[in-house]
Every structure is written in structure tokens, then in C-alpha cells.
Amino acid sequence: SSQQALEQARAAAEELEDLKTVAKGLEEENSELRRQARQLVRGLASLLPQNQRLLAEGHGLREQIQALAAETADLEVSGSSHA
């Protein structure tokens, strides 16, 4: 009976060591994932100003296209009225 209890205690101790190893691995993985997440957040933060600039440029280009389209329409109208 005491031999069986000793074997159970030994098995439990081995399982505990295995669980400690797994926990340590998970902590290291968690730490690495947090580091990667911080890096991604910094990367995104650095892209935001560039994105804002490109959006503003796109808006300006759309306005230029609309102005040129209006000019073209005016020229076509004035050209056809002189013909």
C-alpha cells in the first residue's frame, strides 16, 4: 500500500514537472507573441500618417479630374456652338 502511494506520488511529481515545462513554454510563446504584437502596433502607427497623406492626395486628384472633366465639357460645348 505504501509502495503504491509512493509510485503515485512519483508519477504526480513527474506530471507536475511536465506541466511546469509546458507552462514555461507557453509563457515564452506568450512573451514572443506580445513582442510581435507591439512591433505590429508600432508598424501600423508609422503607416497611419502615410495613409492619411495618400488619402488627401487621392481626394485632391479626384477634384482635379472633376475640374478637367468640367473644362473638357465646356470646351466641347463651346467648340460645337462655333461650328
Side-chain angles (χ1 to χ4, degrees):
S1 172
S2 61
Q3 180 69 26
Q4 190 177 10
L6 185 60
E7 287 175 16
Q8 286 178 341
R10 196 173 291 132
E14 285 178 17
E15 188 175 348
L16 180 60
E17 286 304 312
D18 290 345
L19 290 173
K20 284 181 181 178
T21 301
V22 168
K24 182 174 176 154
L26 290 172
E27 286 173 359
E28 290 171 359
E29 187 177 350
N30 186 29
S31 177
E32 175 62 18
L33 289 172
R34 285 176 182 269
R35 186 191 65 75
Q36 289 177 6
R38 283 191 303 271
Q39 207 171 16
L40 285 171
V41 167
R42 282 194 298 270
L44 287 173
S46 70
L47 290 174
L48 283 175
Q50 183 179 1
N51 188 45
Q52 292 292 83
R53 182 181 55 80
L54 291 171
L55 285 172
E57 282 180 19
H59 182 71
L61 290 172
R62 276 193 297 279
E63 288 178 348
Q64 286 180 354
I65 290 169
Q66 288 173 346
L68 289 171
E71 266 184 60
T72 303
D74 287 347
L75 289 173
E76 287 175 352
V77 167
S78 65
S80 65
S81 66
H82 286 95

